[in-house]
Amino acid sequence: MYFLNTFSKSRLSWAILLAFIIFFEACALFFQHAMKLDPCVMCIYERVAMMGIGFAAILGMIAPKNNIIRWAGLAGWAYSSYQGLALAQEHVGYQFPEFPWSATCALDVNFPAWAPLNQWVPWMFEASGDCGKIVWQFLGLSMPQWLEIIFAANLVAVAIIVVAQFLGTKKH
């Protein structure tokens, strides 16, 4: 735990987290623009949750040794991971519905009036796909199923780092 406590106070740890998020966002844009897979509303919301983790990583990079900044980064990471997992689970429900007649998602994204991302950056935040349609699979899992794994892994990682904040203060 000491190593994780110390590592969480380095810019490198937050830079690695940010690099993973940039990779996943780049993959999303590759799927959308190179492979021509239209993102659905849930895809866009999951993308925003992933960006939340990225912003938390940037925050943590600012001053990782400062307790307030580091804890704000950890809180943002945890919150965005949790929201992303909930969105991915809902999305999987649209793809594999228990009751097929009830499985529909919105046709248009609904961002707050103060942040209409789909109007500001439509090439990244405009949805045109069908949430229930499986357009890509890898190792038998659809994209939102992979996102469940990714967001859950982030939750586990941030939980371990949070525990290390308390238990990893002394080298044994």
PDB file of all heavy atoms in Angstrom, residues 8-11 13-14 17 52-78 158 161-162 165:
ATOM      1  N   SER A   8       0.454   7.569  -6.029  1.00  0.00           N
ATOM      2  CA  SER A   8      -0.709   8.431  -6.272  1.00  0.00           C
ATOM      3  C   SER A   8      -0.375   9.902  -6.073  1.00  0.00           C
ATOM      4  O   SER A   8      -1.125  10.779  -6.513  1.00  0.00           O
ATOM      5  CB  SER A   8      -1.874   8.042  -5.354  1.00  0.00           C
ATOM      6  OG  SER A   8      -1.617   8.433  -4.015  1.00  0.00           O
ATOM      7  N   LYS A   9       0.751  10.165  -5.436  1.00  0.00           N
ATOM      8  CA  LYS A   9       1.188  11.547  -5.196  1.00  0.00           C
ATOM      9  C   LYS A   9       2.179  12.015  -6.255  1.00  0.00           C
ATOM     10  O   LYS A   9       2.797  13.066  -6.110  1.00  0.00           O
ATOM     11  CB  LYS A   9       1.794  11.655  -3.795  1.00  0.00           C
ATOM     12  CG  LYS A   9       0.759  11.391  -2.708  1.00  0.00           C
ATOM     13  CD  LYS A   9       1.369  11.388  -1.329  1.00  0.00           C
ATOM     14  CE  LYS A   9       0.288  11.036  -0.305  1.00  0.00           C
ATOM     15  NZ  LYS A   9       0.827  10.841   1.031  1.00  0.00           N
ATOM     16  N   SER A  10       2.317  11.220  -7.322  1.00  0.00           N
ATOM     17  CA  SER A  10       3.218  11.598  -8.412  1.00  0.00           C
ATOM     18  C   SER A  10       2.406  11.998  -9.648  1.00  0.00           C
ATOM     19  O   SER A  10       1.301  11.497  -9.871  1.00  0.00           O
ATOM     20  CB  SER A  10       4.137  10.424  -8.765  1.00  0.00           C
ATOM     21  OG  SER A  10       3.414   9.414  -9.452  1.00  0.00           O
ATOM     22  N   ARG A  11       2.962  12.891 -10.422  1.00  0.00           N
ATOM     23  CA  ARG A  11       2.300  13.284 -11.676  1.00  0.00           C
ATOM     24  C   ARG A  11       2.234  12.110 -12.646  1.00  0.00           C
ATOM     25  O   ARG A  11       1.300  12.002 -13.419  1.00  0.00           O
ATOM     26  CB  ARG A  11       3.024  14.468 -12.306  1.00  0.00           C
ATOM     27  CG  ARG A  11       2.701  15.777 -11.634  1.00  0.00           C
ATOM     28  CD  ARG A  11       3.093  16.973 -12.509  1.00  0.00           C
ATOM     29  NE  ARG A  11       2.581  18.172 -11.891  1.00  0.00           N
ATOM     30  CZ  ARG A  11       3.245  18.897 -11.006  1.00  0.00           C
ATOM     31  NH1 ARG A  11       4.455  18.534 -10.634  1.00  0.00           N
ATOM     32  NH2 ARG A  11       2.705  19.984 -10.489  1.00  0.00           N
ATOM     33  N   SER A  13       1.557   8.990 -12.121  1.00  0.00           N
ATOM     34  CA  SER A  13       0.378   8.136 -11.920  1.00  0.00           C
ATOM     35  C   SER A  13      -0.849   8.738 -12.605  1.00  0.00           C
ATOM     36  O   SER A  13      -1.613   8.039 -13.263  1.00  0.00           O
ATOM     37  CB  SER A  13       0.110   7.933 -10.429  1.00  0.00           C
ATOM     38  OG  SER A  13      -0.234   9.155  -9.803  1.00  0.00           O
ATOM     39  N   TRP A  14      -1.023  10.041 -12.453  1.00  0.00           N
ATOM     40  CA  TRP A  14      -2.174  10.705 -13.065  1.00  0.00           C
ATOM     41  C   TRP A  14      -2.004  10.806 -14.586  1.00  0.00           C
ATOM     42  O   TRP A  14      -2.982  10.725 -15.330  1.00  0.00           O
ATOM     43  CB  TRP A  14      -2.364  12.080 -12.425  1.00  0.00           C
ATOM     44  CG  TRP A  14      -2.740  11.958 -10.982  1.00  0.00           C
ATOM     45  CD1 TRP A  14      -1.897  12.017  -9.904  1.00  0.00           C
ATOM     46  CD2 TRP A  14      -4.043  11.709 -10.453  1.00  0.00           C
ATOM     47  NE1 TRP A  14      -2.602  11.832  -8.737  1.00  0.00           N
ATOM     48  CE2 TRP A  14      -3.925  11.652  -9.044  1.00  0.00           C
ATOM     49  CE3 TRP A  14      -5.296  11.543 -11.021  1.00  0.00           C
ATOM     50  CZ2 TRP A  14      -5.013  11.425  -8.211  1.00  0.00           C
ATOM     51  CZ3 TRP A  14      -6.383  11.334 -10.190  1.00  0.00           C
ATOM     52  CH2 TRP A  14      -6.234  11.264  -8.803  1.00  0.00           C
ATOM     53  N   LEU A  17      -3.082   7.481 -16.038  1.00  0.00           N
ATOM     54  CA  LEU A  17      -4.548   7.434 -16.101  1.00  0.00           C
ATOM     55  C   LEU A  17      -5.050   8.247 -17.283  1.00  0.00           C
ATOM     56  O   LEU A  17      -5.896   7.779 -18.063  1.00  0.00           O
ATOM     57  CB  LEU A  17      -5.162   7.946 -14.795  1.00  0.00           C
ATOM     58  CG  LEU A  17      -6.690   8.032 -14.747  1.00  0.00           C
ATOM     59  CD1 LEU A  17      -7.328   6.664 -14.936  1.00  0.00           C
ATOM     60  CD2 LEU A  17      -7.136   8.670 -13.431  1.00  0.00           C
ATOM     61  N   GLY A  52     -14.868  12.548 -18.090  1.00  0.00           N
ATOM     62  CA  GLY A  52     -14.854  12.952 -16.682  1.00  0.00           C
ATOM     63  C   GLY A  52     -13.651  12.369 -15.963  1.00  0.00           C
ATOM     64  O   GLY A  52     -13.012  13.056 -15.147  1.00  0.00           O
ATOM     65  N   ILE A  53     -13.334  11.117 -16.262  1.00  0.00           N
ATOM     66  CA  ILE A  53     -12.137  10.495 -15.675  1.00  0.00           C
ATOM     67  C   ILE A  53     -10.891  11.242 -16.155  1.00  0.00           C
ATOM     68  O   ILE A  53      -9.965  11.499 -15.388  1.00  0.00           O
ATOM     69  CB  ILE A  53     -12.053   8.994 -16.020  1.00  0.00           C
ATOM     70  CG1 ILE A  53     -13.247   8.235 -15.446  1.00  0.00           C
ATOM     71  CG2 ILE A  53     -10.735   8.401 -15.503  1.00  0.00           C
ATOM     72  CD1 ILE A  53     -13.341   6.788 -15.910  1.00  0.00           C
ATOM     73  N   GLY A  54     -10.899  11.611 -17.436  1.00  0.00           N
ATOM     74  CA  GLY A  54      -9.769  12.366 -17.985  1.00  0.00           C
ATOM     75  C   GLY A  54      -9.573  13.702 -17.294  1.00  0.00           C
ATOM     76  O   GLY A  54      -8.447  14.093 -16.967  1.00  0.00           O
ATOM     77  N   PHE A  55     -10.670  14.420 -17.042  1.00  0.00           N
ATOM     78  CA  PHE A  55     -10.573  15.698 -16.339  1.00  0.00           C
ATOM     79  C   PHE A  55     -10.096  15.498 -14.900  1.00  0.00           C
ATOM     80  O   PHE A  55      -9.326  16.308 -14.373  1.00  0.00           O
ATOM     81  CB  PHE A  55     -11.899  16.456 -16.383  1.00  0.00           C
ATOM     82  CG  PHE A  55     -12.193  17.060 -17.728  1.00  0.00           C
ATOM     83  CD1 PHE A  55     -13.374  16.749 -18.386  1.00  0.00           C
ATOM     84  CD2 PHE A  55     -11.298  17.921 -18.348  1.00  0.00           C
ATOM     85  CE1 PHE A  55     -13.651  17.290 -19.637  1.00  0.00           C
ATOM     86  CE2 PHE A  55     -11.563  18.465 -19.589  1.00  0.00           C
ATOM     87  CZ  PHE A  55     -12.735  18.155 -20.244  1.00  0.00           C
ATOM     88  N   ALA A  56     -10.532  14.413 -14.281  1.00  0.00           N
ATOM     89  CA  ALA A  56     -10.065  14.103 -12.924  1.00  0.00           C
ATOM     90  C   ALA A  56      -8.561  13.833 -12.949  1.00  0.00           C
ATOM     91  O   ALA A  56      -7.839  14.264 -12.033  1.00  0.00           O
ATOM     92  CB  ALA A  56     -10.818  12.896 -12.363  1.00  0.00           C
ATOM     93  N   ALA A  57      -8.087  13.150 -13.985  1.00  0.00           N
ATOM     94  CA  ALA A  57      -6.649  12.880 -14.113  1.00  0.00           C
ATOM     95  C   ALA A  57      -5.867  14.180 -14.292  1.00  0.00           C
ATOM     96  O   ALA A  57      -4.799  14.359 -13.694  1.00  0.00           O
ATOM     97  CB  ALA A  57      -6.398  11.935 -15.291  1.00  0.00           C
ATOM     98  N   ILE A  58      -6.400  15.090 -15.094  1.00  0.00           N
ATOM     99  CA  ILE A  58      -5.739  16.388 -15.279  1.00  0.00           C
ATOM    100  C   ILE A  58      -5.689  17.142 -13.960  1.00  0.00           C
ATOM    101  O   ILE A  58      -4.659  17.714 -13.598  1.00  0.00           O
ATOM    102  CB  ILE A  58      -6.457  17.204 -16.373  1.00  0.00           C
ATOM    103  CG1 ILE A  58      -6.233  16.555 -17.747  1.00  0.00           C
ATOM    104  CG2 ILE A  58      -5.973  18.662 -16.371  1.00  0.00           C
ATOM    105  CD1 ILE A  58      -7.099  17.112 -18.858  1.00  0.00           C
ATOM    106  N   LEU A  59      -6.792  17.105 -13.230  1.00  0.00           N
ATOM    107  CA  LEU A  59      -6.828  17.757 -11.922  1.00  0.00           C
ATOM    108  C   LEU A  59      -5.770  17.163 -10.994  1.00  0.00           C
ATOM    109  O   LEU A  59      -5.013  17.890 -10.345  1.00  0.00           O
ATOM    110  CB  LEU A  59      -8.228  17.625 -11.300  1.00  0.00           C
ATOM    111  CG  LEU A  59      -8.432  18.267  -9.941  1.00  0.00           C
ATOM    112  CD1 LEU A  59      -8.217  19.774 -10.015  1.00  0.00           C
ATOM    113  CD2 LEU A  59      -9.831  17.956  -9.428  1.00  0.00           C
ATOM    114  N   GLY A  60      -5.700  15.848 -10.944  1.00  0.00           N
ATOM    115  CA  GLY A  60      -4.710  15.185 -10.103  1.00  0.00           C
ATOM    116  C   GLY A  60      -3.282  15.515 -10.513  1.00  0.00           C
ATOM    117  O   GLY A  60      -2.388  15.616  -9.663  1.00  0.00           O
ATOM    118  N   MET A  61      -3.055  15.723 -11.807  1.00  0.00           N
ATOM    119  CA  MET A  61      -1.720  16.057 -12.300  1.00  0.00           C
ATOM    120  C   MET A  61      -1.284  17.453 -11.869  1.00  0.00           C
ATOM    121  O   MET A  61      -0.089  17.721 -11.788  1.00  0.00           O
ATOM    122  CB  MET A  61      -1.675  15.967 -13.829  1.00  0.00           C
ATOM    123  CG  MET A  61      -1.537  14.565 -14.352  1.00  0.00           C
ATOM    124  SD  MET A  61      -1.580  14.452 -16.156  1.00  0.00           S
ATOM    125  CE  MET A  61      -0.450  15.697 -16.678  1.00  0.00           C
ATOM    126  N   ILE A  62      -2.233  18.331 -11.626  1.00  0.00           N
ATOM    127  CA  ILE A  62      -1.897  19.717 -11.289  1.00  0.00           C
ATOM    128  C   ILE A  62      -1.022  19.789 -10.042  1.00  0.00           C
ATOM    129  O   ILE A  62       0.011  20.453 -10.040  1.00  0.00           O
ATOM    130  CB  ILE A  62      -3.171  20.568 -11.110  1.00  0.00           C
ATOM    131  CG1 ILE A  62      -3.857  20.753 -12.471  1.00  0.00           C
ATOM    132  CG2 ILE A  62      -2.860  21.914 -10.477  1.00  0.00           C
ATOM    133  CD1 ILE A  62      -5.231  21.383 -12.382  1.00  0.00           C
ATOM    134  N   ALA A  63      -1.445  19.121  -9.004  1.00  0.00           N
ATOM    135  CA  ALA A  63      -0.688  19.151  -7.736  1.00  0.00           C
ATOM    136  C   ALA A  63      -0.969  17.871  -6.964  1.00  0.00           C
ATOM    137  O   ALA A  63      -1.687  17.882  -5.965  1.00  0.00           O
ATOM    138  CB  ALA A  63      -1.075  20.380  -6.914  1.00  0.00           C
ATOM    139  N   PRO A  64      -0.412  16.749  -7.395  1.00  0.00           N
ATOM    140  CA  PRO A  64      -0.743  15.465  -6.770  1.00  0.00           C
ATOM    141  C   PRO A  64      -0.332  15.340  -5.304  1.00  0.00           C
ATOM    142  O   PRO A  64      -0.885  14.518  -4.590  1.00  0.00           O
ATOM    143  CB  PRO A  64      -0.009  14.444  -7.643  1.00  0.00           C
ATOM    144  CG  PRO A  64       1.086  15.213  -8.292  1.00  0.00           C
ATOM    145  CD  PRO A  64       0.577  16.617  -8.463  1.00  0.00           C
ATOM    146  N   LYS A  65       0.604  16.147  -4.857  1.00  0.00           N
ATOM    147  CA  LYS A  65       1.018  16.078  -3.450  1.00  0.00           C
ATOM    148  C   LYS A  65       0.114  16.905  -2.546  1.00  0.00           C
ATOM    149  O   LYS A  65       0.132  16.740  -1.335  1.00  0.00           O
ATOM    150  CB  LYS A  65       2.464  16.530  -3.307  1.00  0.00           C
ATOM    151  CG  LYS A  65       3.413  15.532  -3.945  1.00  0.00           C
ATOM    152  CD  LYS A  65       4.849  15.905  -3.785  1.00  0.00           C
ATOM    153  CE  LYS A  65       5.628  14.832  -4.525  1.00  0.00           C
ATOM    154  NZ  LYS A  65       6.978  14.876  -4.501  1.00  0.00           N
ATOM    155  N   ASN A  66      -0.705  17.755  -3.144  1.00  0.00           N
ATOM    156  CA  ASN A  66      -1.654  18.557  -2.381  1.00  0.00           C
ATOM    157  C   ASN A  66      -2.872  17.689  -2.072  1.00  0.00           C
ATOM    158  O   ASN A  66      -3.534  17.179  -2.982  1.00  0.00           O
ATOM    159  CB  ASN A  66      -2.061  19.788  -3.198  1.00  0.00           C
ATOM    160  CG  ASN A  66      -3.060  20.661  -2.486  1.00  0.00           C
ATOM    161  OD1 ASN A  66      -4.183  20.241  -2.206  1.00  0.00           O
ATOM    162  ND2 ASN A  66      -2.663  21.892  -2.214  1.00  0.00           N
ATOM    163  N   ASN A  67      -3.155  17.499  -0.791  1.00  0.00           N
ATOM    164  CA  ASN A  67      -4.246  16.601  -0.387  1.00  0.00           C
ATOM    165  C   ASN A  67      -5.584  16.987  -0.998  1.00  0.00           C
ATOM    166  O   ASN A  67      -6.344  16.124  -1.433  1.00  0.00           O
ATOM    167  CB  ASN A  67      -4.361  16.544   1.136  1.00  0.00           C
ATOM    168  CG  ASN A  67      -3.251  15.737   1.773  1.00  0.00           C
ATOM    169  OD1 ASN A  67      -2.664  14.878   1.140  1.00  0.00           O
ATOM    170  ND2 ASN A  67      -2.950  16.031   3.020  1.00  0.00           N
ATOM    171  N   ILE A  68      -5.906  18.266  -1.013  1.00  0.00           N
ATOM    172  CA  ILE A  68      -7.210  18.707  -1.535  1.00  0.00           C
ATOM    173  C   ILE A  68      -7.321  18.409  -3.023  1.00  0.00           C
ATOM    174  O   ILE A  68      -8.328  17.863  -3.485  1.00  0.00           O
ATOM    175  CB  ILE A  68      -7.430  20.211  -1.237  1.00  0.00           C
ATOM    176  CG1 ILE A  68      -7.542  20.419   0.278  1.00  0.00           C
ATOM    177  CG2 ILE A  68      -8.671  20.734  -1.956  1.00  0.00           C
ATOM    178  CD1 ILE A  68      -7.518  21.872   0.710  1.00  0.00           C
ATOM    179  N   ILE A  69      -6.286  18.752  -3.765  1.00  0.00           N
ATOM    180  CA  ILE A  69      -6.304  18.505  -5.221  1.00  0.00           C
ATOM    181  C   ILE A  69      -6.357  17.005  -5.504  1.00  0.00           C
ATOM    182  O   ILE A  69      -7.131  16.539  -6.347  1.00  0.00           O
ATOM    183  CB  ILE A  69      -5.063  19.141  -5.900  1.00  0.00           C
ATOM    184  CG1 ILE A  69      -5.025  20.649  -5.686  1.00  0.00           C
ATOM    185  CG2 ILE A  69      -5.007  18.782  -7.379  1.00  0.00           C
ATOM    186  CD1 ILE A  69      -6.088  21.435  -6.396  1.00  0.00           C
ATOM    187  N   ARG A  70      -5.515  16.236  -4.818  1.00  0.00           N
ATOM    188  CA  ARG A  70      -5.489  14.782  -5.039  1.00  0.00           C
ATOM    189  C   ARG A  70      -6.841  14.156  -4.707  1.00  0.00           C
ATOM    190  O   ARG A  70      -7.375  13.353  -5.471  1.00  0.00           O
ATOM    191  CB  ARG A  70      -4.363  14.123  -4.229  1.00  0.00           C
ATOM    192  CG  ARG A  70      -4.184  12.647  -4.570  1.00  0.00           C
ATOM    193  CD  ARG A  70      -3.004  12.011  -3.855  1.00  0.00           C
ATOM    194  NE  ARG A  70      -3.137  12.043  -2.403  1.00  0.00           N
ATOM    195  CZ  ARG A  70      -2.532  12.918  -1.604  1.00  0.00           C
ATOM    196  NH1 ARG A  70      -1.726  13.846  -2.091  1.00  0.00           N
ATOM    197  NH2 ARG A  70      -2.719  12.880  -0.295  1.00  0.00           N
ATOM    198  N   TRP A  71      -7.425  14.545  -3.570  1.00  0.00           N
ATOM    199  CA  TRP A  71      -8.727  13.987  -3.192  1.00  0.00           C
ATOM    200  C   TRP A  71      -9.827  14.417  -4.169  1.00  0.00           C
ATOM    201  O   TRP A  71     -10.740  13.645  -4.454  1.00  0.00           O
ATOM    202  CB  TRP A  71      -9.084  14.348  -1.758  1.00  0.00           C
ATOM    203  CG  TRP A  71      -8.441  13.405  -0.781  1.00  0.00           C
ATOM    204  CD1 TRP A  71      -7.350  13.633  -0.014  1.00  0.00           C
ATOM    205  CD2 TRP A  71      -8.841  12.057  -0.509  1.00  0.00           C
ATOM    206  NE1 TRP A  71      -7.035  12.514   0.733  1.00  0.00           N
ATOM    207  CE2 TRP A  71      -7.946  11.532   0.446  1.00  0.00           C
ATOM    208  CE3 TRP A  71      -9.862  11.249  -0.981  1.00  0.00           C
ATOM    209  CZ2 TRP A  71      -8.046  10.234   0.936  1.00  0.00           C
ATOM    210  CZ3 TRP A  71      -9.962   9.951  -0.479  1.00  0.00           C
ATOM    211  CH2 TRP A  71      -9.066   9.459   0.463  1.00  0.00           C
ATOM    212  N   ALA A  72      -9.733  15.632  -4.687  1.00  0.00           N
ATOM    213  CA  ALA A  72     -10.708  16.075  -5.692  1.00  0.00           C
ATOM    214  C   ALA A  72     -10.566  15.228  -6.959  1.00  0.00           C
ATOM    215  O   ALA A  72     -11.563  14.824  -7.568  1.00  0.00           O
ATOM    216  CB  ALA A  72     -10.521  17.556  -6.006  1.00  0.00           C
ATOM    217  N   GLY A  73      -9.319  14.938  -7.337  1.00  0.00           N
ATOM    218  CA  GLY A  73      -9.086  14.067  -8.492  1.00  0.00           C
ATOM    219  C   GLY A  73      -9.616  12.660  -8.260  1.00  0.00           C
ATOM    220  O   GLY A  73     -10.255  12.066  -9.136  1.00  0.00           O
ATOM    221  N   LEU A  74      -9.366  12.118  -7.079  1.00  0.00           N
ATOM    222  CA  LEU A  74      -9.875  10.788  -6.746  1.00  0.00           C
ATOM    223  C   LEU A  74     -11.399  10.763  -6.737  1.00  0.00           C
ATOM    224  O   LEU A  74     -12.024   9.810  -7.244  1.00  0.00           O
ATOM    225  CB  LEU A  74      -9.328  10.331  -5.385  1.00  0.00           C
ATOM    226  CG  LEU A  74      -7.825  10.022  -5.331  1.00  0.00           C
ATOM    227  CD1 LEU A  74      -7.355   9.848  -3.895  1.00  0.00           C
ATOM    228  CD2 LEU A  74      -7.505   8.800  -6.177  1.00  0.00           C
ATOM    229  N   ALA A  75     -12.012  11.811  -6.190  1.00  0.00           N
ATOM    230  CA  ALA A  75     -13.478  11.881  -6.154  1.00  0.00           C
ATOM    231  C   ALA A  75     -14.052  11.968  -7.568  1.00  0.00           C
ATOM    232  O   ALA A  75     -15.037  11.293  -7.895  1.00  0.00           O
ATOM    233  CB  ALA A  75     -13.928  13.078  -5.319  1.00  0.00           C
ATOM    234  N   GLY A  76     -13.435  12.784  -8.407  1.00  0.00           N
ATOM    235  CA  GLY A  76     -13.891  12.896  -9.799  1.00  0.00           C
ATOM    236  C   GLY A  76     -13.724  11.592 -10.560  1.00  0.00           C
ATOM    237  O   GLY A  76     -14.583  11.195 -11.344  1.00  0.00           O
ATOM    238  N   TRP A  77     -12.619  10.910 -10.308  1.00  0.00           N
ATOM    239  CA  TRP A  77     -12.357   9.617 -10.935  1.00  0.00           C
ATOM    240  C   TRP A  77     -13.411   8.601 -10.501  1.00  0.00           C
ATOM    241  O   TRP A  77     -13.992   7.903 -11.332  1.00  0.00           O
ATOM    242  CB  TRP A  77     -10.951   9.172 -10.554  1.00  0.00           C
ATOM    243  CG  TRP A  77     -10.459   7.881 -11.132  1.00  0.00           C
ATOM    244  CD1 TRP A  77     -11.021   7.138 -12.130  1.00  0.00           C
ATOM    245  CD2 TRP A  77      -9.276   7.177 -10.740  1.00  0.00           C
ATOM    246  NE1 TRP A  77     -10.260   6.016 -12.375  1.00  0.00           N
ATOM    247  CE2 TRP A  77      -9.176   6.024 -11.530  1.00  0.00           C
ATOM    248  CE3 TRP A  77      -8.294   7.424  -9.786  1.00  0.00           C
ATOM    249  CZ2 TRP A  77      -8.128   5.112 -11.407  1.00  0.00           C
ATOM    250  CZ3 TRP A  77      -7.262   6.517  -9.672  1.00  0.00           C
ATOM    251  CH2 TRP A  77      -7.169   5.375 -10.470  1.00  0.00           C
ATOM    252  N   ALA A  78     -13.683   8.549  -9.206  1.00  0.00           N
ATOM    253  CA  ALA A  78     -14.667   7.596  -8.681  1.00  0.00           C
ATOM    254  C   ALA A  78     -16.067   7.911  -9.210  1.00  0.00           C
ATOM    255  O   ALA A  78     -16.789   7.013  -9.662  1.00  0.00           O
ATOM    256  CB  ALA A  78     -14.657   7.609  -7.155  1.00  0.00           C
ATOM    257  N   VAL A 158      -9.575   2.926  -8.389  1.00  0.00           N
ATOM    258  CA  VAL A 158      -9.690   4.119  -7.537  1.00  0.00           C
ATOM    259  C   VAL A 158      -9.977   3.718  -6.094  1.00  0.00           C
ATOM    260  O   VAL A 158      -9.481   4.357  -5.159  1.00  0.00           O
ATOM    261  CB  VAL A 158     -10.722   5.127  -8.093  1.00  0.00           C
ATOM    262  CG1 VAL A 158     -12.143   4.682  -7.893  1.00  0.00           C
ATOM    263  CG2 VAL A 158     -10.519   6.505  -7.448  1.00  0.00           C
ATOM    264  N   ILE A 161      -6.679   2.795  -4.577  1.00  0.00           N
ATOM    265  CA  ILE A 161      -5.880   4.005  -4.353  1.00  0.00           C
ATOM    266  C   ILE A 161      -6.402   4.782  -3.145  1.00  0.00           C
ATOM    267  O   ILE A 161      -5.630   5.304  -2.339  1.00  0.00           O
ATOM    268  CB  ILE A 161      -5.853   4.896  -5.611  1.00  0.00           C
ATOM    269  CG1 ILE A 161      -5.210   4.167  -6.793  1.00  0.00           C
ATOM    270  CG2 ILE A 161      -5.161   6.229  -5.340  1.00  0.00           C
ATOM    271  CD1 ILE A 161      -3.763   3.785  -6.605  1.00  0.00           C
ATOM    272  N   VAL A 162      -7.730   4.841  -2.999  1.00  0.00           N
ATOM    273  CA  VAL A 162      -8.314   5.529  -1.838  1.00  0.00           C
ATOM    274  C   VAL A 162      -7.913   4.817  -0.544  1.00  0.00           C
ATOM    275  O   VAL A 162      -7.515   5.457   0.428  1.00  0.00           O
ATOM    276  CB  VAL A 162      -9.856   5.645  -1.975  1.00  0.00           C
ATOM    277  CG1 VAL A 162     -10.506   6.013  -0.653  1.00  0.00           C
ATOM    278  CG2 VAL A 162     -10.209   6.677  -3.039  1.00  0.00           C
ATOM    279  N   GLN A 165      -4.529   5.646   0.518  1.00  0.00           N
ATOM    280  CA  GLN A 165      -4.370   6.981   1.113  1.00  0.00           C
ATOM    281  C   GLN A 165      -4.361   6.888   2.633  1.00  0.00           C
ATOM    282  O   GLN A 165      -3.740   7.705   3.307  1.00  0.00           O
ATOM    283  CB  GLN A 165      -5.476   7.933   0.656  1.00  0.00           C
ATOM    284  CG  GLN A 165      -5.560   8.161  -0.839  1.00  0.00           C
ATOM    285  CD  GLN A 165      -4.260   8.630  -1.451  1.00  0.00           C
ATOM    286  OE1 GLN A 165      -3.756   9.705  -1.143  1.00  0.00           O
ATOM    287  NE2 GLN A 165      -3.695   7.807  -2.312  1.00  0.00           N
TER     288      GLN A 165
END
